[in-house]
Amino acid sequence: MYSKKIAYIQLFLIIVLSSCSSTQKATMSPEENLKQNIKLLQNPASKNIMVVAHRGDWRNAPENSIPALQNTIKMGVDIMELDLNKTKDGHLIVLHDITLDRSTTGKGKPGDYTLEEIKKFRLRNGLGRPTKNLIPTFKEMLEIAKGKILIDVDKGYEYFPQVIKELKETGTLNQAIINVITNNPSYSEIIKQHGAFDENVFIMPILDLKNLNNQEIIESYKVHKNTIFQPVFETDSYPLIATFPVLKMNNGIWINSLWASLNGGHDDETAVEDNKKDESWGWIIKQGATIIQTDNPKELLEYLREKKLHN
């Protein structure tokens, strides 16, 4: 009888301790998550996989909106990807397309309007219906993200000096990644275009494996320690893919699972709609990815946590 009581007590303690551990993970603050994630960017050899929400939580809020950012923070996503454009009077705004037509109630190019005029338009939701949400400025998004979540700056390379300036002004320079979108650029090309910049800035050259015939481009980034590589590949047979596990020892490897042409067919649709997560996200992880960008952040987080690859 006594031994049974001891066994029940032991079982009770195990359940309580397990519950406490889960609660600690679930209640880890965004600030604690951010500190951990900055360390992960600087230590790509870690087994933890980081999750990027493409344009934020656009399934439950307008893409590239303040609520889309706030939702990703609540969800525990590591990085929100956003896109930049510019107004007539020189303000950086968060908008994906070259025109306002699809995602807002406005028409034409953002560059045809001042910020004051842009703020009169409303963002549309995924069904194309107008919402009460305004088009945010880059600074407005940074102020909300500050101290809470990493930001990936897409379509902002042509505004590189201004992006750096606004990151510094908002105190978010250490929690942003800037995409380098040109045709397989070398590090020297970036310096030639924009001049020397802070060595602590995280930059991410996007590498099209179809046109990348050697590793000279990759080698050129050795002088910049905070470099993350984003390879794009329409098939999974490129020889360079086999080098990713070695490359990740020094650099983060960002792979998109958004659609098939970016990852050789190992995409979100395969993972979620076909329920073949191991063939999609699992395959991407095996290639050495340290960061995965997805349109299904909730499902990817659940998958990674089940595999003990995300806190």
Side-chain angles (χ1 to χ4, degrees), residues 41-42 151 153 157 160-161 163-165 167-168 172-180 187 190-191 195-205 221 223-228:
L41 282 184
Q42 297 168 333
I151 292 294
V153 183
Y157 183 63
F160 192 88
V163 168
I164 296 291
K165 180 175 178 288
L167 288 171
K168 287 182 176 179
T172 54
L173 189 68
N174 71 326
Q175 63 182 87
I177 303 166
I178 303 173
N179 294 4
V180 181
Y187 183 70
I190 300 176
I191 300 302
F197 55 91
D198 194 314
E199 65 177 10
N200 294 314
V201 173
F202 285 97
I203 57 173
M204 183 162 63
Y221 286 90
V223 295
H224 189 80
K225 63 178 182 178
N226 288 330
T227 298
I228 300 162

Side-chain angles (χ1 to χ4, degrees), residues 169-221:
E169 288 173 350
T170 54
T172 54
L173 189 68
N174 71 326
Q175 63 182 87
I177 303 166
I178 303 173
N179 294 4
V180 181
I181 309 178
T182 61
N183 187 23
N184 294 330
S186 67
Y187 183 70
S188 60
E189 287 179 82
I190 300 176
I191 300 302
K192 184 177 179 180
Q193 287 181 325
H194 300 298
F197 55 91
D198 194 314
E199 65 177 10
N200 294 314
V201 173
F202 285 97
I203 57 173
M204 183 162 63
I206 297 175
L207 307 174
D208 183 352
L209 299 195
K210 180 173 63 177
N211 300 320
L212 192 66
N213 299 318
N214 55 57
Q215 286 193 308
E216 288 182 13
I217 300 296
I218 293 174
E219 291 291 320
S220 74
Y221 286 90

Side-chain angles (χ1 to χ4, degrees), residues 48-262:
N48 268 38
I49 309 298
M50 302 177 73
V51 173
V52 186
H54 181 229
R55 305 184 201 175
D57 181 27
W58 61 262
R59 294 185 183 277
N60 299 297
E63 66 176 56
N64 279 319
S65 67
I66 287 175
L69 170 58
Q70 292 169 328
N71 287 355
T72 61
I73 294 171
K74 291 175 185 175
M75 198 185 299
V77 168
D78 305 301
I79 305 170
M80 175 177 161
E81 182 264 1
L82 53 75
D83 308 277
L84 295 187
N85 216 305
K86 202 170 189 178
T87 65
K88 185 178 182 179
D89 50 349
H91 293 273
L92 292 179
I93 59 171
V94 181
L95 186 81
H96 178 271
D97 297 359
I98 60 173
T99 68
L100 297 155
D101 301 46
R102 178 186 63 85
S103 60
T104 84
T105 57
K107 299 289 183 184
K109 296 180 179 179
D112 294 334
Y113 300 91
T114 65
L115 181 60
E116 183 179 2
E117 292 168 330
I118 285 285
K119 286 296 186 179
K120 294 177 182 177
F121 303 133
R122 297 293 184 271
L123 291 171
R124 297 183 183 276
N125 63 21
L127 296 174
R129 294 174 180 170
T131 70
K132 65 180 180 180
N133 296 288
L134 306 179
I135 301 169
T137 66
F138 184 41
K139 277 190 174 181
E140 286 170 343
M141 295 289 269
L142 292 177
E143 291 292 353
I144 293 170
K146 186 176 181 178
K148 297 182 180 69
I149 189 172
L150 291 162
I151 292 294
D152 174 60
V153 183
D154 199 7
K155 298 183 182 294
Y157 183 63
E158 63 181 289
Y159 318 123
F160 192 88
Q162 187 172 349
V163 168
I164 296 291
K165 180 175 178 288
E166 295 193 10
L167 288 171
K168 287 182 176 179
E169 288 173 350
T170 54
T172 54
L173 189 68
N174 71 326
Q175 63 182 87
I177 303 166
I178 303 173
N179 294 4
V180 181
I181 309 178
T182 61
N183 187 23
N184 294 330
S186 67
Y187 183 70
S188 60
E189 287 179 82
I190 300 176
I191 300 302
K192 184 177 179 180
Q193 287 181 325
H194 300 298
F197 55 91
D198 194 314
E199 65 177 10
N200 294 314
V201 173
F202 285 97
I203 57 173
M204 183 162 63
I206 297 175
L207 307 174
D208 183 352
L209 299 195
K210 180 173 63 177
N211 300 320
L212 192 66
N213 299 318
N214 55 57
Q215 286 193 308
E216 288 182 13
I217 300 296
I218 293 174
E219 291 291 320
S220 74
Y221 286 90
K222 281 188 174 180
V223 295
H224 189 80
K225 63 178 182 178
N226 288 330
T227 298
I228 300 162
F229 292 109
Q230 184 183 141
V232 174
F233 44 98
E234 56 190 9
T235 71
D236 59 12
S237 59
Y238 292 109
L240 197 60
I241 295 173
T243 69
F244 292 168
V246 176
L247 189 60
K248 75 169 278 189
M249 300 308 292
N250 294 303
N251 300 96
I253 306 293
W254 169 308
I255 296 181
N256 298 301
S257 63
L258 305 175
W259 45 82
S261 61
L262 300 175

